[in-house]
Amino acid sequence: MKMTILTLFPEMFDGLFSHSILKQAQDRDVVSFHVVNFREFSKDRHQRVDDYPYGGGGGMVLTPQPLFDAVKHVKEQAKGKSPRVVLLCPQGEPYSQKKAEEFAQEDELILICGHYEGFDERIREHLVTDEVSIGDYVLTGGEIGAMVIADSVTRLQQGALGNETSAVTDSHSTGLLEYPHYTRPAEFEGMKVPDVLLSGHHAKIEAWRRQESLKRTFTRRPDMLSKADLTPKDQAIIDK
Ligand code: ADE
C-alpha cells in the first residue's frame, strides 16, 4: 500500500516512519510512505500557501492552488487509479477502527495535513473524498492525525505485524476491549497471574478471556456493547 502525506512540516514524520513496526513494514514492502511538502507546488513567487480570508476575520486560509497541484501530481503517478484523498480536520468524520479497516483495503491513500485557520472551501468540495477527525479537540495541524491513520492502517496490512493473529484480537477489531495480558513471572511482589492462564487448558483460557473482555467493555465502554456481536452466553455474563 502507498500512502502519500501532503504537509508543510515533512520532518515531523521522520521519527514515526523510521522506527518499530512502521519501519519494518516499509522494509518488507508492505507499505511505502511518501511525505511531500506541498509548498513546493506553490506558484506564488514567495512560495506562499496561505492568504487572508475573504470577508475578514482572524487567521490565514490555505489556498487551493498548491494542494490541487500536489494532488494532481500524485494522481498522475497512480496509473489510472484514483486514490482517496483524506483531509485531516476537526470537522471530519470521527476516526475509528472501522474506518481504519476501510482505508486498509485501499491500494493507495493521499492524506492532507492542514495548518493555520483552515482550508479554502473549494479544497473540501472538489479535491477531498473523506474528511477525518481523530477526536473532539483541536490540534495545531493535521500531522498527528495523519500519523494516527498511517499507523493504524499499516498495522492492518498483511505481513505488517510479526504475529498475524494480533491485529484480529485487538481491542476494537472484535467490537470489544481486549482481555488482560500477563507474562512471567507467575508471581511478582505478591501479585499473582490468574491460575487459569497457567492451567494449560485452552478452552478454559478462551472462556476466561472472553469473560474478561466483556467485563472490561461493560465497565469502561458500555456504548460499544450495543454494537458488538454477542452470544446468549456473553449476554448472561454481562447480566450477572
Ligand atoms: N487538525 C486539527 N485538529 C484535528 C483533529 N481533531 N483531527 C484531525 N485533524 C485535526
Side-chain angles (χ1 to χ4, degrees):
M1 176 178 201
K2 176 181 176 185
M3 280 188 244
T4 303
I5 296 157
L6 303 178
T7 170
L8 296 171
F9 301 96
E11 296 80 12
M12 286 178 73
F13 294 86
D14 292 350
L16 181 69
F17 293 160
S18 55
H19 294 96
S20 186
I21 288 171
L22 300 207
K23 164 88 167 62
Q24 286 167 31
Q26 291 168 88
D27 292 346
R28 292 185 192 146
D29 286 329
V30 166
V31 68
S32 67
F33 299 115
H34 303 259
V35 186
V36 176
N37 188 339
F38 61 86
R39 191 181 295 283
E40 290 167 13
F41 289 85
S42 173
K43 290 185 175 142
D44 178 81
R45 63 196 166 104
H46 302 297
Q47 283 209 301
R48 284 182 57 177
V49 291
D50 58 340
D51 212 329
Y52 295 99
Y54 277 125
M60 300 297 275
V61 176
L62 286 170
T63 59
Q65 180 273 316
L67 279 169
F68 270 77
D69 282 358
V71 169
K72 189 172 167 215
H73 175 78
V74 178
K75 283 187 173 173
E76 277 166 3
Q77 296 168 334
K79 296 179 196 107
K81 288 187 228 151
S82 195
R84 281 164 87 163
V85 180
V86 182
L87 180 75
L88 280 304
C89 61
Q91 302 88 343
E93 178 187 337
Y95 193 58
S96 61
Q97 189 65 20
K98 192 162 160 266
K99 198 81 190 160
E101 283 162 12
E102 190 187 311
F103 285 157
Q105 304 297 316
E106 302 286 327
D107 291 333
E108 182 164 351
L109 283 179
I110 301 173
L111 308 177
I112 299 181
C113 312
H115 250 83
Y116 314 120
E117 195 56 27
F119 300 89
D120 185 288
E121 191 63 17
R122 289 163 290 189
I123 295 170
R124 289 205 149 87
E125 283 182 358
H126 301 290
L127 188 64
V128 159
T129 59
D130 300 82
E131 293 187 37
V132 168
S133 163
I134 60 158
D136 288 343
Y137 38 77
V138 182
L139 300 164
T140 54
E143 283 75 11
I144 296 173
M147 290 182 201
V148 168
I149 294 181
D151 189 291
S152 54
V153 168
T154 298
R155 64 188 297 291
L156 290 172
Q157 300 298 311
Q158 188 84 31
L161 302 177
N163 173 2
E164 283 305 329
T165 58
S166 35
V168 180
T169 59
D170 278 343
S171 288
H172 296 287
S173 279
T174 58
L176 297 174
L177 297 181
E178 216 176 329
Y179 50 79
H181 298 278
Y182 292 89
T183 185
R184 271 175 276 273
E187 184 171 342
F188 173 68
E189 296 187 356
M191 296 173 276
K192 288 186 177 157
V193 171
D195 287 338
V196 61
L197 296 178
L198 309 177
S199 69
H201 193 302
H202 291 296
K204 277 191 184 156
I205 292 170
E206 278 315 303
W208 180 85
R209 285 180 168 165
R210 182 76 183 172
Q211 174 188 297
E212 294 304 308
S213 196
L214 287 161
K215 275 171 34 187
R216 187 165 272 193
T217 311
F218 179 73
T219 49
R220 297 185 188 188
R221 292 293 304 276
D223 58 297
M224 287 170 67
L225 282 177
S226 54
K227 290 179 229 146
D229 221 354
L230 301 181
T231 64
K233 212 166 145 199
D234 291 337
Q235 199 57 55
I237 292 169
I238 293 165
D239 293 341
K240 254 206 281 179

